[in-house]
């Protein structure tokens, strides 16, 4: 007999009961629809195709080949097991931090250098961003973030949007920066910093060097911080397309670098989200020290660090992986945008990431959020494709959608494009 539990009357914290977790947004509603009826080429060919998941599977075979060739677990002897099993300090393994620094340098073509002593290990990039937010700002303070952007976190810090729009391909302008700063001030919020994602999620485009210069000049002038989330840095289609803020600092001889902090992870470029491996790289000694003290809440296992230290220290593997992964992402991006263009759908010009920023404004009866969500529901339930509406990414212009292309086979991508073509022919043929 099942035990019935009464609905709890005891209260929970404001954090627990807030809506900042985002589970009620269309982003997660689409996931639920997919989970209930997932597409499978053989077992469920009429199911929902998941194109709302920014996951990199195009080069997973390279990881599998490496692990098959190096199947012996590193230091799998008695002493190695003991070292992994017993307590590790919050610095993380030095071998892993050295390998991570080297990998980050290689992704940037050697144009930036990273000191392993400044790397703080976290359980993924989300944990890294949240940890930095705890350190840089108090509840009630503000961070400025360019729109559109990925959903937020639970620290009690206010997010004030830097409004960007399609008139200049969503580039960040000095006027938009100043307007967001003044908006925060007018609402009695103390601005603590700017958080950018470069390359952008959901735009799938890198931030230009000139824009980075303007942003850095702005935070220096306002005496605030800059957090640069560079989780997609190795997923730019060409090594020359991406400019890291670390390169700008190097060119300026690291003047005012103490206000700059870089977030990175292996979840996107290396396609290992399940490993939960992220890093904070800060040029501020106090931030590094504090982040290490607080990182006890977000540590990753020594076994994971040791495996990845071995993999990332293999120069022949990392050279081949970075090059091949970029080539495959570029090919897959081309398949996506060319296929959409053939059925009359355009995307923002992209040069990075695992997704396209798709323009469906022409399919809206009127440019409202409600109309955008109506179209999204049609695509989810009639076409059986889960994509992310722009409003779930805080886009102020209705009609934009993020569509992911790297988490499926080429065959599944073609099935999705065929479904979209049939949808367009049935509902919007001229």
């Amino acid at each position: 007999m099942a035990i019935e539990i009464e609905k709890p009357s005891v209260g929970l914290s404001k954090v627990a009961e807030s809506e900042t977790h985002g589970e009620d947004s269309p982003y997660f509603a689409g996931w639920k629809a997919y989970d209930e009826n997932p597409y499978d080429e053989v077992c469920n060919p009429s199911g929902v195709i998941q194109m709302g998941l920014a996951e990199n599977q195009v080069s997973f075979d390279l990881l599998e080949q490496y692990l098959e060739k190096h199947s012996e677990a590193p230091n799998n002897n008695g002493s190695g097991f003991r070292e992994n099993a017993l307590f590790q300090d919050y610095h993380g393994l030095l071998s892993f931090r050295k390998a991570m620094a080297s990998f980050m340098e290689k992704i940037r073509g050697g144009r930036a250098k990273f000191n392993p002593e400044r790397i703080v290990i976290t359980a993924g990039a989300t944990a890294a961003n949240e940890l930095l937010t705890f350190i840089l700002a108090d509840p009630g303070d503000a961070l400025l973030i360019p729109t559109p952007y990925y959903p937020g976190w639970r620290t009690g810090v206010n997010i004030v949007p830097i409004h960007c729009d399609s008139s200049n391909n969503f580039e960040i302008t000095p006027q938009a920066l100043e307007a967001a700063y003044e908006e925060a001030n007018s609402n009695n919020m103390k601005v603590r910093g700017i958080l950018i994602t470069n390359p952008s999620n959901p735009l799938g485009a890198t931030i230009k060097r000139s824009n980075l210069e303007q942003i850095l000049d702005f935070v220096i002038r306002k005496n605030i911080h800059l957090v640069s989330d560079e989780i997609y840095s190795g997923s730019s289609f060409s090594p020359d397309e991406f400019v890291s803020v670390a390169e700008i600092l190097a060119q300026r001889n690291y003047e005012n670098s103490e206000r700059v902090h870089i977030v990175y992870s292996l979840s996107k470029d290396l396609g290992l989200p399940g490993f939960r491996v992220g890093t904070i790289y800060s040029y501020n000694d106090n931030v590094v020290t504090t982040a290490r003290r607080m990182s006890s809440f977000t540590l990753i296992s020594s076994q994971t660090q040791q495996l990845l230290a071995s993999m990332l220290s293999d120069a022949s593997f990392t050279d081949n992986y970075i090059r091949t992964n970029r080539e495959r992402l570029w090919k897959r991006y081309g398949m996506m945008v060319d296929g959409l263009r053939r059925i009359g759908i355009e995307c923002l010009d992209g040069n990075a990431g695992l997704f396209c920023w798709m323009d469906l404004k022409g399919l809206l009866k009127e440019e409202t959020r409600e109309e955008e969500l109506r179209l999204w529901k049609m695509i989810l339930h009639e076409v059986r494709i889960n994509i992310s509406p722009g409003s779930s990414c805080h886009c102020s212009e209705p009609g934009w959608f993020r569509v992911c292309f790297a988490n499926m086979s080429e065959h599944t991508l073609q099935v999705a494009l065929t479904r979209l073509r049939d949808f367009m022919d049935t509902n919007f043929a001229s």
Side-chain angles (χ1 to χ4, degrees):
M1 180 178 177
I3 299 175
E4 294 186 4
I5 300 177
E6 293 183 5
K7 185 177 180 180
S9 59
V10 60
L12 302 179
S13 71
K14 292 180 180 179
V15 172
E17 295 180 344
S18 75
E19 297 181 357
T20 57
H21 307 287
E23 284 87 347
D24 296 329
S25 75
Y27 180 83
F28 289 100
W31 275 58
K32 182 179 179 181
Y34 168 77
D35 288 340
E36 293 173 348
N37 183 28
Y39 170 85
D40 184 90
E41 182 179 338
V42 176
C43 300
N44 191 20
S46 63
V48 175
I49 297 176
Q50 174 62 289
M51 303 187 84
L53 174 62
E55 186 174 78
N56 183 5
Q57 297 182 20
V58 300
S59 300
F60 205 78
D61 60 307
L62 301 181
L63 300 173
E64 292 175 321
Q65 290 168 15
Y66 175 87
L67 292 174
E68 288 175 5
K69 191 179 295 185
H70 303 82
S71 57
E72 71 286 353
N75 290 335
N76 199 25
N77 50 47
S79 63
F81 173 78
R82 184 180 181 84
E83 290 174 4
N84 281 335
L86 298 181
F87 179 78
Q88 293 284 350
D89 69 33
Y90 302 154
H91 291 66
L93 300 180
L94 179 59
S95 60
F96 174 64
R97 287 185 284 120
K98 284 182 175 180
M100 194 70 160
S102 175
F103 188 65
M104 291 168 67
E105 291 175 2
K106 189 169 291 187
I107 282 173
R108 291 157 180 78
R111 298 184 300 272
K113 299 297 181 183
F114 296 97
N115 180 356
E117 296 302 321
R118 292 194 170 278
I119 287 180
V120 180
I121 307 301
T122 64
T126 300
N129 277 314
E130 189 169 81
L131 183 56
L132 273 174
T133 305
F134 275 120
I135 294 169
L136 303 182
D138 295 312
D141 290 343
L143 288 179
L144 312 182
I145 304 183
T147 62
Y149 63 87
Y150 187 73
W153 46 82
R154 58 189 176 173
T155 60
V157 172
N158 296 302
I159 295 176
V160 177
I162 303 168
H163 290 290
C164 306
D165 58 58
S166 60
S167 64
N168 67 344
N169 296 323
F170 296 95
E171 289 185 7
I172 305 164
T173 66
Q175 294 80 10
L177 288 170
E178 194 64 48
Y181 189 88
E182 290 305 318
E183 179 186 345
N185 281 341
S186 66
N187 287 295
N188 298 315
M189 301 177 196
K190 184 173 184 178
V191 178
R192 292 290 193 170
I194 296 175
L195 193 157
I196 59 174
T197 304
N198 182 29
S200 168
N201 175 15
L203 298 179
T206 57
I207 299 177
K208 295 177 181 177
R209 180 183 296 271
S210 58
N211 289 60
L212 281 175
E213 296 269 10
Q214 291 173 346
I215 295 168
L216 188 54
D217 289 340
F218 182 86
V219 298
I220 292 170
R221 190 166 65 252
K222 300 296 187 182
N223 193 29
I224 58 178
H225 294 271
L226 172 61
V227 178
S228 181
D229 185 340
E230 301 184 356
I231 189 174
Y232 292 99
S233 52
S235 299
S236 58
F237 306 146
S238 167
D240 298 327
E241 295 275 4
F242 171 71
V243 178
S244 171
V245 69
E247 298 175 44
I248 307 295
L249 292 176
Q251 291 174 347
R252 297 185 177 195
N253 296 317
Y254 299 99
E255 187 176 354
N256 289 295
S257 62
E258 74 281 354
R259 69 186 67 253
V260 178
H261 323 280
I262 296 173
V263 169
Y264 186 61
S265 166
L266 299 180
S267 295
K268 306 302 182 182
D269 292 344
L270 211 58
L272 295 174
F275 276 40
R276 308 309 306 155
V277 176
T279 62
I280 294 170
Y281 189 90
S282 178
Y283 296 89
N284 186 307
D285 292 342
N286 291 333
V287 170
V288 172
T289 300
T290 306
R292 284 208 175 115
R293 290 171 181 163
M294 297 177 68
S295 67
S296 59
F297 297 100
T298 67
L299 295 177
I300 60 175
S301 74
S302 298
Q303 190 75 8
T304 299
Q305 293 182 58
Q306 201 167 56
L307 170 63
L308 293 174
S310 177
M311 181 184 289
L312 298 181
S313 298
D314 188 326
S316 62
F317 167 76
T318 53
D319 288 344
N320 178 64
Y321 181 90
I322 292 170
R323 181 183 64 256
T324 304
N325 185 58
R326 280 182 165 138
E327 291 170 353
R328 291 179 179 180
L329 286 175
W330 171 240
K331 177 186 176 185
R332 187 64 67 86
Y333 171 82
M335 291 176 60
M336 186 78 234
V337 296
D338 290 345
L340 290 172
R341 187 171 290 121
R342 283 194 292 270
I343 59 177
I345 298 174
E346 294 293 333
C347 296
L348 184 79
D349 286 340
N351 60 2
L354 315 176
F355 33 75
C356 304
W357 191 232
M358 183 170 64
D359 183 3
L360 298 183
K361 291 196 301 292
L363 307 186
L364 303 183
K365 295 178 180 178
E366 54 182 358
E367 292 193 11
T368 63
R369 182 177 184 274
E370 291 72 23
E371 180 64 13
E372 176 186 274
L373 293 178
R374 185 193 67 82
L375 177 60
W376 167 73
K377 289 177 181 177
M378 287 180 67
I379 295 172
L380 179 61
H381 298 296
E382 297 179 22
V383 189
R384 298 181 306 284
I385 294 176
N386 177 38
I387 57 178
S388 303
S391 55
S392 71
C393 300
H394 312 279
C395 183
S396 57
E397 289 185 21
W400 291 92
F401 294 79
R402 191 190 74 165
V403 53
C404 301
F405 54 72
N407 62 319
M408 64 194 70
S409 67
E410 290 186 5
H411 172 80
T412 301
L413 179 58
Q414 292 299 339
V415 172
L417 289 170
T418 299
R419 290 186 184 181
L420 284 170
R421 182 197 64 202
D422 294 342
F423 173 69
M424 293 290 288
D425 288 346
T426 302
N427 295 279
F428 302 100
S430 55

